Amino acid sequence: MVLPTLFVGIQAIRTNALEGGTLEALGQRLAHSRTYAEVEDAMFNQTQVVWRYLSGDPAAKKEFPLTEQVVDFWLDRWAAGLPSGDVKLADGVRKIETDIRGVAARVFKLYDSGQRQAAYLTARQELVERLQPALAEVNREIYRQAREFSVQRAFSQVAAIVATERRVLWSIIFLALVAGLAASWLISRSLARPLNELRHAMAVVGAGDLDHAIEPRSSDEIGDLARAFAQMTEKLRQSRAQLVQSEKLASIGQMAAGVAHGLRNPLASLRAAAQLAQHRVEGPAAREQLNAIIEQVDRLDQRIAHLLAFSRPAPFRPLRESVRALVDGALSGFAELLRQRRIELAVAVPPTLRVSNALDAMSDGGRLEIAAQSQSGEGAADDVLLEITDSGPGIPAEILPNLCEPFFTTRPEGTGLGLAIAKRYVEETGGRLDIASRIGHGTTVRIWLPVASGDTAPTPVRSLT
Amino acid sequence: MSGSTVLIVDDEQTLARSAKAFLADHGYEAEVAASGEKALELLESLQPDVVFADVRLPGMSGIDLLKRIREFDPVLPVIMLTAYGSIEGAVEAVKLGAFDYVKKPVDLEELKLLADRARENRLLKQELSYYALRAWWESHPPCMRCSSARARSPRWRTRRRCCSPAKRAPGRVSSPTPSTRQAPAP
């Protein structure tokens, strides 16, 4: 865009210069003509001097040499400025000048010798009738030449300039077209195509396909735009995945709730019927059996409860809890069991349902340690670290990673959900759960919970025992 | 014994029948309704002292039933049974006026205990309202002239009259008392 303008400008300036030159030359020529006018004047003065002398001015004769000098002066000057082709003209003039001087000399001689009439006649014949017309002729020729020459020259110069200019301008136009095409092709390659790709990608993504790949190729603004768009798409994809996930969970939760309800009603009937029978029937044996039935019903109910708790999408309100209160609350459910199994309890602070597992591991005697400490963990907030250590047989290393998986259990009557639920609750509060164990030495469950700040805090653990 | 009529609202037949039999064995008179609509009909004739209702019922839900009962009887104890066991549901039910909230499968002993508690609670409330009414009555004596029981403003109390002699109507009964049917057995 700039280049053609630049070229045109340069061309204009050049043309201007050339035209200026032409004008200057023309001016010079005109000046030159004026110089010749001086010659003319000088020569006319010369003849006038002769006539003055003839009409009785004695001083005129003395002036004549001066006029000769003047004529010479102007003639030389004029001749110097003549172009080479016109030197003949100068010769013509000089010849006439020489004639005039000769005639003048003759006229003076005649006049001085008293032949005034002859002098007068000679002057008339030679100067007026012969030389002046000749001079006039030469003058005409000279002026004509000068005119033609200068005008012609100027004309051809300007014509040449115009032609050149036209050529140059056309070539500029042509170049500009070519360059423009080339530039637009280049631009289309480096700009329009990526933009097009981006637009296409946006359309695809907009229609819902979030897996469409966007490869930003350039490192300019288009590339940045593409990168930003790719990032946005990625985020969209993640959040959609999350949404799908939570929808799944929600529908699982709903299904679970439906299933639970559908299962629990018959269970309730079973239990009620069994209990009624137990109440009415005679004989401890029968009562025993009915008791067993009721136990099994309760066990089934437990499983259902675990399932529900696990699959609930968790409208989940973390509450403030003092760690001590947590422990005491949870432990109260275990007091009886602890006593039965003669387990020594050292409480430094709270546990959760993991105590149930620990207790199971220590079926006869042993030591259960529960400790809590404040810890500055990674991340901004401080954590509270709870450690539940038992002195049971420990957990083999191979199954350690599977412990928190749902439905993983080593107990025949376990649901396999307890740890999974605990882990989920802990993680949803923003904490971490870790299990370390050694065969023969016992197991330690570590739970990190974030310290309460503002209005969120460690969650109260729902007792699921 | 009085105050021992129970209405069980549940579409789970076996459970309802077993509960009814169990309660009957313990001195309650129990009836079963399989839906909220039936329950409302029975309420009229049965006049139960305690109601057990499942949250999930065909047609009207247990919560809706609770609301309807509360419309005309603010003190009748209604105990909700549920298979879900969510805390939110429990809170909502109690806010709406349920007496308690029990998870299924329900222990029949627990059911009976709840019925006992509810009945006792209801009797206590009735006693309370009787005494409250009486106390109020005694602090608001009727007009000495016409014995009308109106105009209980403090002004009347000091003057003990609400009317001019012309307003007295013959044969007016004085001092209506609260119904003796509600009087508690000491």
Side-chain angles (χ1 to χ4, degrees):
Chain A
M1 224 59 51
V2 171
L3 280 180
T5 314
L6 200 61
F7 284 147
V8 170
I10 291 175
Q11 173 60 19
I13 290 172
R14 242 189 77 220
T15 305
N16 201 350
L18 287 175
E19 285 167 358
T22 308
L23 271 178
E24 209 182 293
L26 195 57
Q28 271 179 359
R29 292 263 73 79
L30 290 175
H32 198 244
S33 296
R34 277 199 292 282
T35 311
Y36 186 74
E38 298 293 335
V39 172
E40 244 188 312
D41 271 350
M43 290 176 74
F44 181 71
N45 278 345
Q46 253 184 356
T47 54
Q48 287 303 99
V49 162
V50 172
W51 285 112
R52 271 178 40 222
Y53 190 67
L54 281 180
S55 47
D57 183 1
K61 191 163 143 188
K62 291 196 188 83
E63 272 181 41
F64 195 79
L66 287 173
T67 64
E68 285 181 352
Q69 279 175 11
V70 171
V71 170
D72 280 337
F73 171 72
W74 283 116
L75 201 50
D76 287 339
R77 226 165 101 153
W78 177 75
L82 271 180
S84 48
D86 299 341
V87 183
K88 303 192 317 282
L89 294 170
D91 291 342
V93 176
R94 273 197 217 279
K95 185 170 165 301
I96 292 177
E97 171 63 15
T98 315
D99 281 350
I100 289 178
R101 288 185 195 175
V103 165
R106 274 202 341 243
V107 164
F108 288 148
K109 214 166 88 179
L110 279 177
Y111 190 84
D112 288 344
S113 62
Q115 301 173 27
R116 293 191 184 166
Q117 194 70 15
Y120 187 75
L121 266 174
T122 310
R124 236 183 89 131
Q125 272 176 349
E126 294 299 305
L127 287 180
V128 176
E129 284 162 16
R130 188 174 69 93
L131 288 178
Q132 267 176 341
L135 185 62
E137 187 66 36
V138 172
N139 282 350
R140 266 205 297 277
E141 184 62 28
I142 286 173
Y143 277 124
R144 193 182 61 80
Q145 283 274 32
R147 237 192 346 266
E148 271 188 19
F149 176 73
S150 55
V151 170
Q152 213 170 44
R153 192 138 159 221
F155 179 79
S156 59
Q157 265 181 347
V158 172
I161 291 171
V162 166
T164 315
E165 194 178 1
R166 183 179 303 145
R167 256 207 318 279
V168 171
L169 284 175
W170 273 116
S171 45
I172 286 176
I173 287 175
F174 177 72
L175 277 173
L177 270 173
V178 169
L181 284 171
S184 70
W185 181 74
L186 275 171
I187 285 173
S188 106
R189 227 171 55 125
S190 75
L191 199 65
R193 195 152 68 123
L195 270 178
N196 238 358
E197 283 180 1
L198 191 59
R199 195 172 55 81
H200 174 70
M202 280 182 174
V204 168
V205 168
D209 177 12
L210 291 180
D211 297 317
H212 186 83
I214 295 155
E215 304 139 12
R217 264 189 275 254
S218 47
S219 55
D220 63 353
E221 289 85 359
I222 305 293
D224 287 341
L225 183 63
R227 257 183 294 277
F229 184 67
Q231 270 174 3
M232 185 199 76
T233 307
E234 180 60 33
K235 287 218 177 73
L236 259 179
R237 201 194 349 214
Q238 278 172 2
S239 65
R240 190 167 76 171
Q242 268 176 3
L243 192 66
V244 165
Q245 171 82 326
S246 61
E247 272 178 2
K248 269 195 206 158
L249 283 177
S251 65
I252 287 177
Q254 274 175 347
M255 186 200 75
V259 165
H261 182 265
L263 291 175
R264 272 183 161 160
N265 265 333
L267 278 182
S269 288
L270 258 176
R271 199 185 194 282
Q275 209 175 3
L276 181 64
Q278 195 191 34
H279 171 73
R280 288 184 169 174
V281 99
E282 305 283 337
R287 286 224 182 93
E288 187 90 21
Q289 295 297 329
L290 289 164
N291 216 32
I293 291 178
I294 292 176
E295 261 179 29
Q296 293 304 311
V297 168
D298 285 340
R299 195 173 137 215
L300 273 173
D301 185 50
Q302 267 277 47
R303 278 187 182 260
I304 292 176
H306 278 196
L307 252 174
L308 268 182
F310 179 71
S311 65
R312 203 166 284 164
F316 179 84
R317 283 160 309 203
L319 299 173
R320 290 179 157 280
E321 271 286 345
S322 101
V323 178
R324 180 87 220 188
L326 267 184
V327 188
D328 291 344
L331 272 184
S332 63
F334 295 103
E336 180 62 30
L337 213 46
L338 284 172
R339 207 165 45 75
Q340 273 180 8
R341 298 192 178 176
R342 293 173 287 130
I343 291 169
E344 187 186 323
L345 186 63
V347 184
V349 193
T352 75
L353 25 104
R354 294 315 87 239
V355 178
S356 165
N357 283 5
L359 290 174
D360 287 334
M362 303 184 293
S363 47
D364 188 31
R367 184 178 161 85
L368 179 66
E369 258 181 46
I370 300 167
Q373 54 193 215
S374 179
Q375 232 190 29
S376 294
E378 328 89 48
D382 288 340
D383 292 330
V384 167
L385 168 61
L386 314 176
E387 282 181 340
I388 305 162
T389 314
D390 69 45
S391 58
I395 301 173
E398 327 59 273
I399 66 170
L400 259 183
N402 302 334
L403 274 179
C404 290
E405 274 172 31
F407 305 112
F408 179 88
T409 178
T410 52
R411 287 187 292 159
E413 71 275 11
T415 55
L417 286 173
L419 271 170
I421 293 172
K423 181 161 182 179
R424 169 124 76 85
Y425 280 162
V426 164
E427 279 174 3
E428 280 192 23
T429 340
R432 222 159 45 99
L433 186 138
D434 187 66
I435 305 178
S437 179
R438 253 175 12 156
I439 307 267
H441 286 86
T443 307
T444 305
V445 175
R446 287 197 186 80
I447 297 174
W448 285 269
L449 293 170
V451 167
S453 57
D455 48 11
T456 60
T459 176
V461 179
R462 309 166 210 257
S463 71
L464 282 183
T465 51
Chain B
M1 61 186 145
S2 68
S4 51
T5 315
V6 175
L7 175 61
I8 302 171
V9 190
D10 199 324
D11 59 337
E12 194 64 36
Q13 296 260 12
T14 314
L15 169 63
R17 281 207 306 264
S18 306
K20 172 177 168 175
F22 192 80
L23 286 171
D25 286 355
H26 286 84
Y28 284 89
E29 186 194 322
E31 280 304 324
V32 170
S35 72
E37 291 81 3
K38 287 256 182 57
L40 285 172
E41 285 171 32
L42 270 178
L43 270 168
E44 208 58 35
S45 50
L46 188 64
Q47 297 270 344
D49 303 292
V50 183
V51 176
F52 289 94
D54 189 41
V55 167
R56 274 274 295 266
L57 292 170
M60 180 193 297
S61 83
I63 298 286
D64 287 337
L65 177 62
L66 170 64
K67 286 186 199 165
R68 290 286 296 276
I69 293 176
R70 279 286 165 267
E71 274 170 29
F72 56 80
D73 191 336
V75 293
L76 179 61
V78 180
I79 295 160
M80 310 302 297
L81 310 171
T82 180
Y84 287 114
S86 71
I87 294 185
E88 294 84 8
V91 168
E92 191 204 349
V94 168
K95 274 188 186 160
L96 284 169
F99 182 76
D100 210 336
Y101 193 86
V102 185
K103 283 209 292 202
K104 285 188 181 180
V106 61
D107 186 87
L108 292 181
E109 284 288 347
E110 195 184 329
L111 206 71
K112 184 192 88 68
L113 281 169
L114 268 174
D116 290 341
R117 243 183 55 203
R119 194 190 70 208
E120 190 175 321
N121 185 287
R122 183 174 160 90
L123 291 177
L124 276 172
K125 276 197 186 140
Q126 284 170 350
E127 188 174 336
L128 193 66
S129 68
Y130 168 74
Y131 283 119
L133 184 58
R134 218 171 94 166
W136 179 88
W137 186 259
E138 275 164 11
S139 67
H140 292 79
C143 169
M144 282 181 73
R145 191 175 281 138
C146 70
S147 304
S148 113
R150 63 193 172 116
R152 300 295 168 183
S153 70
R155 200 172 91 201
W156 294 122
R157 201 185 313 152
T158 49
R159 290 177 52 186
R160 306 192 62 141
R161 283 175 189 75
C162 75
C163 52
S164 58
K167 283 238 172 80
R168 189 190 314 198
R172 225 177 222 279
V173 173
S174 67
S175 301
T177 55
S179 156
T180 48
R181 186 177 89 81
Q182 307 278 344

